[in-house]
Amino acid sequence: MILKAIVRDYTSSGVPVGSKALAAQLPMHVSSATVRNEMAALEELGLIAKTHSSSGRIPSVKGYRYYVDHLVQPDPIKANDIDIIKSSLEGQFLKIDEIIETSAKILSNLTSYTAFSLKPEHKQSRLSGFRLVPLGKRQVMAVLVTDNGDVESQTFNITTKITGDQLEAVVRLINDQLIGKPLDEVLASLQSDIPMQVANYLQQPEGFLKVFGDVLTQAAQDRFYVGGRLNLLNFSDSNDVDELKSLYTLMDHSDDMADVLGQPSDHIQVQIGSEMTNDILRDYSLITATYEAGDHGKGVIALLGPTRMPYSRMIGLVGAFRQELAQRLIDYYRYFDQ
């Protein structure tokens, strides 16, 4: 009971908790001397720690861990928060990526922390269409569509030696040979037989093959979005500019962030301080949750904040948010599949 009160008080105020203030908060009459004895026992167990600047105590990483594993009770989400989530996700979105990107911004705005969102996995995504759209002045846009409704495009220039008939022949070749295949198979074909076939229509196929490969890679890769980057400056206790730069660099590298987020689980996960794989995050906590978009796979949302974040509220908020996001994506896919 005392550990729970210390965690809730400190995550709310950011001020080390003393025995006298703690005794007044407990639901039973206990002397401050008794509370001091119990706090000493908690300190002996390594669940709370003394600070240099105060006689009060703060939770340790071990204390937060015990609290999250055994004591925390997610707060019911406020009706106003649900309204904000629903209204923000009701916009007119043309791509799945737009919904995922917006979700990170919504979660960061609701919490004032930094949020991450990863779109549903692409393992079963298949190529459903490829087009080349003339833009004029020898510019062409390559447009690739997957069965998930994802659309990727890239603009490139062509030489005067390439004719419209040649480009149409290449598009027919791509669609005839590759439509309906998983994206990883399409990428494999691009490394084997497709270049030779494209060379039947284009004398120098390297430029086209690079563009086609780029849009394919964009469609196939797992991209994550970050919301509230600047919020880091509000809750970080570090005044070390180099450390903050390293943290921002980490957020820009998808492979490194994938390691931090870890393997997704159906349960909401909380990683605290040194439990995370990257030492840069030793003063932060990360709440991670998966959302399921029906047959279209699972995605991930995550929230990065200080170790003294209010876990009850944040866990409750992340739990409700993933349900709303999953439903919005299911509705989007249902509309697209009609």
Side-chain angles (χ1 to χ4, degrees):
M1 188 184 298
I2 288 176
L3 176 62
K4 186 175 182 178
I6 290 173
V7 172
R8 297 203 71 137
D9 192 301
Y10 182 64
T11 56
S12 174
S13 68
V15 177
V17 185
S19 57
K20 188 173 181 180
L22 197 56
Q25 293 181 36
L26 296 176
M28 61 191 72
H29 178 69
V30 182
S31 70
S32 58
T34 299
V35 172
R36 277 197 299 274
N37 289 335
E38 296 298 320
M39 290 175 73
L42 289 172
E43 191 170 354
E44 185 77 20
L45 292 168
L47 298 174
I48 61 175
K50 185 185 295 185
T51 64
H52 298 297
S53 58
S54 169
S55 60
R57 301 294 187 274
I58 64 173
S60 64
V61 169
K62 185 178 178 182
Y64 282 126
R65 181 79 269 160
Y66 188 90
Y67 172 77
V68 168
D69 289 345
H70 303 288
L71 304 176
V72 72
Q73 295 175 319
D75 290 346
I77 190 167
K78 299 174 183 176
N80 183 54
D81 289 336
I82 284 287
D83 290 342
I84 291 172
I85 295 169
K86 285 181 179 290
S87 61
S88 300
L89 289 174
E90 281 176 356
Q92 294 297 315
F93 298 104
L94 301 177
K95 297 169 61 176
I96 286 293
D97 288 74
E98 293 177 2
I99 301 177
I100 305 304
E101 183 177 14
T102 298
S103 71
K105 294 176 182 177
I106 299 169
L107 191 55
S108 69
N109 289 338
L110 282 171
T111 61
S112 297
Y113 294 147
T114 301
F116 305 90
S117 56
L118 182 69
K119 63 194 295 187
E121 55 200 358
H122 283 82
K123 290 178 182 176
Q124 299 304 317
S125 291
R126 296 174 182 270
L127 180 66
S128 63
F130 178 72
R131 293 180 61 195
L132 293 175
V133 181
L135 301 177
K137 295 183 179 179
R138 312 301 297 175
Q139 275 199 328
V140 176
M141 178 183 290
V143 182
L144 181 147
V145 184
T146 72
D147 61 344
N148 277 339
D150 291 332
V151 180
E152 299 294 343
S153 62
Q154 184 171 320
T155 302
F156 64 102
N157 295 314
I158 58 173
T159 68
T160 55
K161 296 179 181 179
I162 298 178
T163 67
D165 289 341
Q166 287 175 307
L167 291 178
E168 287 179 13
V170 171
V171 170
R172 281 197 301 273
L173 166 68
I174 297 296
N175 288 325
D176 290 346
Q177 297 278 338
L178 303 175
I179 289 290
K181 289 188 176 183
L183 296 185
D184 56 353
E185 288 187 24
V186 178
L187 281 165
S189 296
L190 197 58
Q191 302 299 321
S192 55
D193 56 315
I194 289 297
M196 293 182 63
Q197 296 185 57
V198 171
N200 292 329
Y201 303 99
L202 300 176
Q203 285 187 333
Q204 295 178 314
E206 295 80 13
F208 166 78
L209 291 170
K210 182 183 183 306
V211 170
F212 184 51
D214 287 347
V215 291
L216 258 179
T217 301
Q218 288 172 27
Q221 67 184 182
D222 287 331
R223 267 163 298 164
F224 72 91
Y225 295 92
V226 184
R229 288 171 180 268
L230 292 179
N231 289 345
L232 271 175
L233 302 176
N234 298 327
F235 62 76
S236 173
D237 293 328
S238 175
N239 294 318
D240 187 332
V241 174
D242 290 335
E243 186 170 300
L244 288 171
K245 283 182 179 178
S246 297
L247 193 50
Y248 279 108
T249 300
L250 173 66
M251 290 191 293
D252 288 332
H253 289 79
S254 56
D255 290 343
D256 293 338
M257 276 309 304
D259 289 340
V260 171
L261 294 176
Q263 291 299 316
S265 165
D266 291 337
H267 304 289
I268 295 177
Q269 296 178 308
V270 181
Q271 298 178 71
I272 304 169
S274 56
E275 296 174 354
M276 282 183 273
T277 57
N278 198 307
D279 187 57
I280 298 171
L281 299 171
R282 63 187 176 278
D283 295 323
Y284 302 89
S285 287
L286 185 74
I287 300 176
T288 310
T290 58
Y291 61 88
E292 193 160 352
D295 296 334
H296 296 276
K298 293 180 180 180
V300 177
I301 57 170
L303 195 61
L304 181 71
T307 51
R308 63 175 185 84
M309 68 165 68
Y311 292 96
S312 296
R313 170 164 162 72
M314 294 303 131
I315 292 172
L317 197 54
V318 168
F321 187 84
R322 70 168 174 173
Q323 293 178 354
E324 294 297 330
L325 177 58
Q327 187 57 55
R328 179 65 182 89
L329 289 173
I330 289 169
D331 291 344
Y332 175 91
Y333 284 126
R334 186 182 296 125
Y335 176 81
F336 181 80
D337 292 338
Q338 289 177 349

